[in-house]
PDB file of all heavy atoms in Angstrom:
ATOM      1  N   GLY F 106      23.169 -12.641  14.447  1.00 87.00           N
ATOM      2  CA  GLY F 106      24.084 -12.865  13.378  1.00 87.00           C
ATOM      3  C   GLY F 106      25.428 -13.392  13.996  1.00 87.00           C
ATOM      4  O   GLY F 106      25.456 -13.745  15.081  1.00 87.00           O
ATOM      5  N   TYR F 107      26.450 -13.319  13.135  1.00 86.00           N
ATOM      6  CA  TYR F 107      27.749 -13.925  13.649  1.00 86.00           C
ATOM      7  C   TYR F 107      28.625 -12.779  14.105  1.00 86.00           C
ATOM      8  O   TYR F 107      28.767 -12.524  15.261  1.00 86.00           O
ATOM      9  CB  TYR F 107      28.386 -14.567  12.445  1.00 86.00           C
ATOM     10  CG  TYR F 107      29.829 -15.200  12.741  1.00 86.00           C
ATOM     11  CD1 TYR F 107      30.043 -15.780  13.957  1.00 86.00           C
ATOM     12  CD2 TYR F 107      30.727 -15.144  11.791  1.00 86.00           C
ATOM     13  CE1 TYR F 107      31.292 -16.299  14.207  1.00 86.00           C
ATOM     14  CE2 TYR F 107      32.016 -15.669  11.987  1.00 86.00           C
ATOM     15  CZ  TYR F 107      32.337 -16.219  13.201  1.00 86.00           C
ATOM     16  OH  TYR F 107      33.528 -16.668  13.550  1.00 86.00           O
ATOM     17  N   MET F 108      29.228 -11.851  13.056  1.00 80.00           N
ATOM     18  CA  MET F 108      30.083 -10.785  13.483  1.00 80.00           C
ATOM     19  C   MET F 108      29.145  -9.515  13.521  1.00 80.00           C
ATOM     20  O   MET F 108      28.376  -9.283  12.686  1.00 80.00           O
ATOM     21  CB  MET F 108      31.147 -10.616  12.494  1.00 80.00           C
ATOM     22  CG  MET F 108      32.111 -11.710  12.381  1.00 80.00           C
ATOM     23  SD  MET F 108      32.923 -12.077  13.929  1.00 80.00           S
ATOM     24  CE  MET F 108      34.004 -10.605  13.964  1.00 80.00           C
ATOM     25  N   PRO F 109      29.226  -8.765  14.637  1.00 71.00           N
ATOM     26  CA  PRO F 109      28.384  -7.654  14.872  1.00 71.00           C
ATOM     27  C   PRO F 109      28.473  -6.633  13.742  1.00 71.00           C
ATOM     28  O   PRO F 109      27.442  -5.918  13.472  1.00 71.00           O
ATOM     29  CB  PRO F 109      28.838  -7.103  16.249  1.00 71.00           C
ATOM     30  CG  PRO F 109      30.216  -7.598  16.459  1.00 71.00           C
ATOM     31  CD  PRO F 109      30.260  -8.982  15.735  1.00 71.00           C
ATOM     32  N   ARG F 110      29.591  -6.377  13.191  1.00 66.00           N
ATOM     33  CA  ARG F 110      29.784  -5.338  12.161  1.00 66.00           C
ATOM     34  C   ARG F 110      29.571  -5.820  10.750  1.00 66.00           C
ATOM     35  O   ARG F 110      29.780  -5.129   9.810  1.00 66.00           O
ATOM     36  CB  ARG F 110      31.157  -4.642  12.314  1.00 66.00           C
ATOM     37  CG  ARG F 110      31.354  -3.874  13.551  1.00 66.00           C
ATOM     38  CD  ARG F 110      32.833  -3.333  13.598  1.00 66.00           C
ATOM     39  NE  ARG F 110      32.933  -2.336  12.542  1.00 66.00           N
ATOM     40  CZ  ARG F 110      32.537  -1.082  12.514  1.00 66.00           C
ATOM     41  NH1 ARG F 110      32.048  -0.657  13.709  1.00 66.00           N
ATOM     42  NH2 ARG F 110      32.798  -0.290  11.530  1.00 66.00           N
ATOM     43  N   VAL F 111      29.196  -7.096  10.654  1.00 69.00           N
ATOM     44  CA  VAL F 111      29.074  -7.688   9.277  1.00 69.00           C
ATOM     45  C   VAL F 111      27.695  -8.245   9.164  1.00 69.00           C
ATOM     46  O   VAL F 111      26.678  -7.591   8.901  1.00 69.00           O
ATOM     47  CB  VAL F 111      30.120  -8.694   8.977  1.00 69.00           C
ATOM     48  CG1 VAL F 111      30.033  -9.062   7.547  1.00 69.00           C
ATOM     49  CG2 VAL F 111      31.490  -8.029   9.216  1.00 69.00           C
ATOM     50  N   THR F 112      27.463  -9.550   9.363  1.00 64.00           N
ATOM     51  CA  THR F 112      26.223 -10.221   9.131  1.00 64.00           C
ATOM     52  C   THR F 112      25.077  -9.797  10.161  1.00 64.00           C
ATOM     53  O   THR F 112      23.981  -9.735   9.656  1.00 64.00           O
ATOM     54  CB  THR F 112      26.280 -11.712   9.194  1.00 64.00           C
ATOM     55  OG1 THR F 112      27.026 -12.089  10.309  1.00 64.00           O
ATOM     56  CG2 THR F 112      27.003 -12.208   7.984  1.00 64.00           C
ATOM     57  N   ALA F 113      25.498  -9.418  11.309  1.00 65.00           N
ATOM     58  CA  ALA F 113      24.449  -8.936  12.164  1.00 65.00           C
ATOM     59  C   ALA F 113      23.841  -7.693  11.839  1.00 65.00           C
ATOM     60  O   ALA F 113      22.721  -7.285  11.844  1.00 65.00           O
ATOM     61  CB  ALA F 113      24.980  -8.847  13.672  1.00 65.00           C
ATOM     62  N   LYS F 114      24.831  -6.763  11.285  1.00 67.00           N
ATOM     63  CA  LYS F 114      24.332  -5.509  10.769  1.00 67.00           C
ATOM     64  C   LYS F 114      23.579  -5.716   9.462  1.00 67.00           C
ATOM     65  O   LYS F 114      22.568  -4.944   9.220  1.00 67.00           O
ATOM     66  CB  LYS F 114      25.443  -4.519  10.510  1.00 67.00           C
ATOM     67  CG  LYS F 114      25.097  -3.089  10.274  1.00 67.00           C
ATOM     68  CD  LYS F 114      26.234  -2.131  10.223  1.00 67.00           C
ATOM     69  CE  LYS F 114      25.731  -0.650  10.004  1.00 67.00           C
ATOM     70  NZ  LYS F 114      26.837   0.306   9.809  1.00 67.00           N
ATOM     71  N   ALA F 115      23.919  -6.618   8.653  1.00 71.00           N
ATOM     72  CA  ALA F 115      23.236  -6.920   7.444  1.00 71.00           C
ATOM     73  C   ALA F 115      21.794  -7.311   7.787  1.00 71.00           C
ATOM     74  O   ALA F 115      20.846  -6.844   7.104  1.00 71.00           O
ATOM     75  CB  ALA F 115      23.899  -8.064   6.610  1.00 71.00           C
ATOM     76  N   ILE F 130      19.990  -6.331  18.307  1.00 86.00           N
ATOM     77  CA  ILE F 130      20.882  -7.153  17.456  1.00 86.00           C
ATOM     78  C   ILE F 130      21.900  -7.831  18.256  1.00 86.00           C
ATOM     79  O   ILE F 130      22.606  -7.254  19.132  1.00 86.00           O
ATOM     80  CB  ILE F 130      21.714  -6.097  16.512  1.00 86.00           C
ATOM     81  CG1 ILE F 130      20.692  -5.299  15.672  1.00 86.00           C
ATOM     82  CG2 ILE F 130      22.557  -6.865  15.524  1.00 86.00           C
ATOM     83  CD1 ILE F 130      21.353  -4.150  14.893  1.00 86.00           C
ATOM     84  N   VAL F 131      21.991  -9.142  18.061  1.00 87.00           N
ATOM     85  CA  VAL F 131      22.816  -9.978  18.770  1.00 87.00           C
ATOM     86  C   VAL F 131      23.815 -10.674  17.953  1.00 87.00           C
ATOM     87  O   VAL F 131      23.465 -11.177  16.881  1.00 87.00           O
ATOM     88  CB  VAL F 131      21.908 -11.099  19.623  1.00 87.00           C
ATOM     89  CG1 VAL F 131      22.763 -11.833  20.584  1.00 87.00           C
ATOM     90  CG2 VAL F 131      20.779 -10.319  20.295  1.00 87.00           C
ATOM     91  N   SER F 132      24.947 -10.808  18.453  1.00 86.00           N
ATOM     92  CA  SER F 132      26.051 -11.448  17.635  1.00 86.00           C
ATOM     93  C   SER F 132      26.824 -12.522  18.470  1.00 86.00           C
ATOM     94  O   SER F 132      26.516 -12.677  19.666  1.00 86.00           O
ATOM     95  CB  SER F 132      27.098 -10.425  17.168  1.00 86.00           C
ATOM     96  OG  SER F 132      27.867  -9.972  18.239  1.00 86.00           O
ATOM     97  N   CYS F 133      27.834 -13.180  17.810  1.00 85.00           N
ATOM     98  CA  CYS F 133      28.642 -14.207  18.645  1.00 85.00           C
ATOM     99  C   CYS F 133      29.360 -13.621  19.764  1.00 85.00           C
ATOM    100  O   CYS F 133      29.803 -14.284  20.630  1.00 85.00           O
ATOM    101  CB  CYS F 133      29.467 -14.958  17.640  1.00 85.00           C
ATOM    102  SG  CYS F 133      30.811 -13.934  16.996  1.00 85.00           S
ATOM    103  N   GLU F 134      29.518 -12.292  19.849  1.00 86.00           N
ATOM    104  CA  GLU F 134      30.328 -11.641  20.838  1.00 86.00           C
ATOM    105  C   GLU F 134      29.446 -11.613  22.137  1.00 86.00           C
ATOM    106  O   GLU F 134      29.976 -11.325  23.125  1.00 86.00           O
ATOM    107  CB  GLU F 134      30.751 -10.219  20.402  1.00 86.00           C
ATOM    108  CG  GLU F 134      31.876 -10.188  19.246  1.00 86.00           C
ATOM    109  CD  GLU F 134      32.384  -8.853  19.028  1.00 86.00           C
ATOM    110  OE1 GLU F 134      32.001  -7.884  19.685  1.00 86.00           O
ATOM    111  OE2 GLU F 134      33.263  -8.656  18.111  1.00 86.00           O
ATOM    112  N   ILE F 311      28.857  -3.750   4.200  1.00 54.00           N
ATOM    113  CA  ILE F 311      28.042  -3.374   5.277  1.00 54.00           C
ATOM    114  C   ILE F 311      28.702  -2.243   6.077  1.00 54.00           C
ATOM    115  O   ILE F 311      28.080  -1.355   6.500  1.00 54.00           O
ATOM    116  CB  ILE F 311      27.844  -4.669   6.190  1.00 54.00           C
ATOM    117  CG1 ILE F 311      27.178  -5.701   5.377  1.00 54.00           C
ATOM    118  CG2 ILE F 311      26.875  -4.297   7.357  1.00 54.00           C
ATOM    119  CD1 ILE F 311      25.874  -5.313   4.691  1.00 54.00           C
TER     120      ILE F 311
END
Side-chain angles (χ1 to χ4, degrees):
Y107 178 42
M108 297 298 292
R110 294 181 62 84
V111 187
T112 49
K114 191 174 181 185
I130 302 173
V131 187
S132 72
C133 67
E134 292 187 0
I311 304 304

